[in-house]
């Protein structure tokens, strides 16, 4: 598929008004996307676990309008009008208009809510942008009912990517690849694809407990961070390493080797933050409690031999990942030893999930 394959020809139906609702989850990358080219093309491939409980639910209502010169929409979060969300959505609409030419013919009401606490430091852009992209695709499907499921899914992921890169990995589950790499057949820079190879039982219902270390606004946004990879002294090696890590992950996922899995995942997390620390200007998103938690995880793992590991996204929160069969002991450890390092002792229990649903 190329970009132009997502530009529709004339629609077979007309629509006056209607409403669609989707819920879409967040995801956590194992091999991280950090650095992008123009038009939200990733500088390196990434792979993620889709989450199950951290979700955005978005209802999109639409009605035809007379003038088709501008976008017209209103946004609500938890029932409250959110005009400060409008610029980001306006940018998204401008980017996707060529692929959804009906957008200027309707007035949209976007009503959204998250299952996780707002400003928890958990990025809502992956779940939020994927839910919105799916709502727009459901609208397009009503205008063009002949659309195949495969096209619907690819285009929804393609559109979500234009809202927020990692959002394209949230629509399906349970393991998604984004970014062209020889390591994964069918992988694309334009949309996420399901991981196509065998995955060991050990990864079924894999647990992710998210420790909310810092719920404040990030000092440096992901957009700025991605851009700092352009003149970065280690960028080329990092991009190469991401391809290699995807190749290394294949036998790990197949054999269920949890020690190797944890080593690769933790190395990826620290490499992501090392890229931030070695950017110019440099920055640090981890907090002292992030490091306290990492050290506690390491000594607990050393003393028990249990398969507890961590990853980080672009922030201070720690995702603690572990297999379902070790969940009881590890969750006790988290509650007794790690939660004290969280802001207001807040944490979220999640696990690997299977993607978005229409409601
Ligand atoms: O999708 P963005 O632009 O918010 O970037 C997300 C980048 C990381 O979360 C740090 C890594 C990833 O692959 O999700």
């Amino acid at each position: 598929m190329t970009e132009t394959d997502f530009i529709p020809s004339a629609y077979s139906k007309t629509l006056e008004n209607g409403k669609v609702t989707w819920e879409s989850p967040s995801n956590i990358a194992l091999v991280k996307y950090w650095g992008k080219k123009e038009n939200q093309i990733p500088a390196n491939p990434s792979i993620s676990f889709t989450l199950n409980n951290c979700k955005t639910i978005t209802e999109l209502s639409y009605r035809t309008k007379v003038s088709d010169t501008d976008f017209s929409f209103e946004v609500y979060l938890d029932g409250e009008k959110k005009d400060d969300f409008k610029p980001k959505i306006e940018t998204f609409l401008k980017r996707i208009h060529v692929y959804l030419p009906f957008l200027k013919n309707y007035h949209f009401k976007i009503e959204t809510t998250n299952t996780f606490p707002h400003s928890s430091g958990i990025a809502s852009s992956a779940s939020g942008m994927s839910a919105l992209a799916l709502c727009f695709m459901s609208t397009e499907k009503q205008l063009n009912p002949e659309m195949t499921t495969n096209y619907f899914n690819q285009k929804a992921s393609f559109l979500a990517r234009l809202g927020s890169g990692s959002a394209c990995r949230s629509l399906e589950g349970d393991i998604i690849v984004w970014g062209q790499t020889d390591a994964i057949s069918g992988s694309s820079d334009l949309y996420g694809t399901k991981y196509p190879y065998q995955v060991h039982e050990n990864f079924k219902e894999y647990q992710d407990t998210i420790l909310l270390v810092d719920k404040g606004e990030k000092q440096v946004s992901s957009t700025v961070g991605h851009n700092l990879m352009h003149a970065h002294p280690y960028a080329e090696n990092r991009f190469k390493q991401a391809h290699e890590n995807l190749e290394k992950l294949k036998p790990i996922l197949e054999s269920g080797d949890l020690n190797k899995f944890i080593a690769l995942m933790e190395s990826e997390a620290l490499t992501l933050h090392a890229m931030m620390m070695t950017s110019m200007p440099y920055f640090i998103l981890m907090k002292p409690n992030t490091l306290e938690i990492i050290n506690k995880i390491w000594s607990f793992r050393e003393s028990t031999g249990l398969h507890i590991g961590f990853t980080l996204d672009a922030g201070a929160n720690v995702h603690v990942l572990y297999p379902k069969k070790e969940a009881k002991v590890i969750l006790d450890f988290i509650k007794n030893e790690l939660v004290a390092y969280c802001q207001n002792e807040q944490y979220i229990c999640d696990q690997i999930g299977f993607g978005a649903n229409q409601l």
Side-chain angles (χ1 to χ4, degrees):
M1 290 294 257
T2 65
E3 269 131 328
T4 46
D5 292 323
F6 294 116
I7 300 175
S9 42
Y11 294 126
S12 57
K13 291 265 189 305
T14 54
L15 271 182
E16 280 295 310
N17 53 58
K19 191 157 78 176
V20 287
T21 309
W22 277 87
E23 59 167 28
S24 190
S26 187
N27 68 76
I28 183 68
L30 307 167
V31 173
K32 308 287 181 180
Y33 147 61
W34 198 242
K36 60 179 162 186
K37 303 175 198 165
E38 251 186 282
N39 299 326
Q40 301 275 100
I41 298 298
N44 67 259
S46 57
I47 186 166
S48 52
F49 281 166
T50 304
L51 295 182
N52 194 54
N53 303 335
C54 290
K55 287 182 291 205
T56 297
I57 299 139
T58 298
E59 182 179 285
L60 179 77
S61 319
Y62 52 88
R63 59 178 154 79
T64 42
K65 63 183 175 71
V66 185
S67 151
D68 60 2
T69 49
D70 289 310
F71 298 116
S72 170
F73 64 99
E74 53 198 308
V75 196
Y76 296 81
L77 174 69
D78 299 327
E80 235 175 78
K81 206 157 193 239
K82 276 281 179 189
D83 286 340
D84 48 328
F85 284 10
K86 288 189 86 174
K88 194 161 183 197
I89 293 176
E90 176 101 23
T91 306
F92 180 47
L93 295 177
K94 280 185 190 150
R95 280 192 197 150
I96 63 175
H97 182 227
V98 56
Y99 306 107
L100 299 175
F102 65 85
L103 288 178
K104 285 188 179 168
N105 302 116
Y106 294 90
H107 173 79
F108 294 103
K109 185 176 183 193
I110 302 164
E111 291 171 276
T112 193
T113 178
N114 297 319
T115 58
F116 46 91
H118 186 56
S119 57
S120 58
I122 298 199
S124 55
S125 60
S127 52
M129 285 299 177
S130 52
L132 187 56
L134 283 159
C135 287
F136 285 134
M137 278 312 293
S138 283
T139 312
E140 183 170 63
K141 190 162 165 63
Q142 289 171 24
L143 292 162
N144 177 17
E146 297 81 40
M147 184 186 293
T148 65
T149 306
N150 194 35
Y151 178 86
F152 180 99
N153 289 340
Q154 275 184 355
K155 184 165 173 181
S157 175
F158 171 87
L159 297 174
R161 185 195 102 240
L162 293 170
S164 170
S166 59
C168 77
R169 296 188 313 238
S170 272
L171 296 82
E172 294 181 276
D174 47 354
I175 306 180
I176 302 291
V177 178
W178 169 43
Q180 201 289 320
T181 178
D182 294 341
I184 313 282
S185 127
S187 56
S188 168
D189 283 343
L190 299 180
Y191 44 80
T193 54
K194 276 194 196 194
Y195 179 74
Y197 307 118
Q198 219 177 320
V199 177
H200 193 275
E201 282 281 315
N202 281 353
F203 298 103
K204 292 242 160 72
E205 296 182 73
Y206 215 73
Q207 305 289 298
D208 180 3
T209 303
I210 309 164
L211 303 179
L212 306 179
V213 171
D214 187 58
K215 303 189 288 168
E217 274 282 298
K218 281 189 280 194
Q219 288 135 335
V220 179
S221 70
S222 290
T223 310
V224 172
H226 285 295
N227 283 334
L228 288 172
M229 288 303 279
H230 285 305
H232 197 291
Y234 306 133
E236 282 317 309
N237 275 333
R238 161 61 199 151
F239 300 149
K240 188 164 155 277
Q241 180 196 42
H243 286 268
E244 289 162 4
N245 278 347
L246 269 156
E247 193 64 65
K248 284 184 190 160
L249 197 57
K250 285 198 296 187
I252 295 173
L253 289 177
E254 187 174 344
S255 66
D257 187 331
L258 293 176
N259 293 328
K260 285 191 182 154
F261 175 74
I262 290 167
L264 191 141
M265 170 178 78
E266 291 188 348
S267 157
E268 273 288 323
L270 294 181
T271 301
L272 167 71
H273 284 258
M275 290 300 110
M276 298 172 188
M277 289 191 256
T278 48
S279 296
M280 191 54 81
Y282 42 82
F283 59 103
I284 302 179
L285 295 183
M286 290 185 286
K287 297 283 180 197
N289 282 350
T290 312
L291 299 181
E292 293 283 359
I293 290 168
I294 291 174
N295 280 307
K296 286 258 177 190
I297 289 173
W298 283 344
S299 48
F300 180 75
R301 188 163 76 219
E302 175 85 38
S303 63
T304 61
L306 291 172
H307 297 98
I308 179 172
F310 73 87
T311 188
L312 307 166
D313 55 17
N317 296 335
V318 182
H319 287 248
V320 187
L321 277 83
Y322 48 98
K324 173 80 174 169
K325 61 177 178 228
E326 297 176 14
K328 203 189 159 321
V329 188
I330 291 179
L331 193 56
D332 279 346
F333 160 70
I334 291 173
K335 286 184 191 157
N336 295 333
E337 304 274 340
L338 303 185
V339 164
Y341 296 103
C342 298
Q343 211 171 335
N344 307 325
E345 307 211 329
Q346 272 191 290
Y347 64 99
I348 297 171
C349 289
D350 210 333
Q351 65 176 39
I352 194 165
F354 294 91
N357 296 302
Q358 185 164 13
L359 301 176

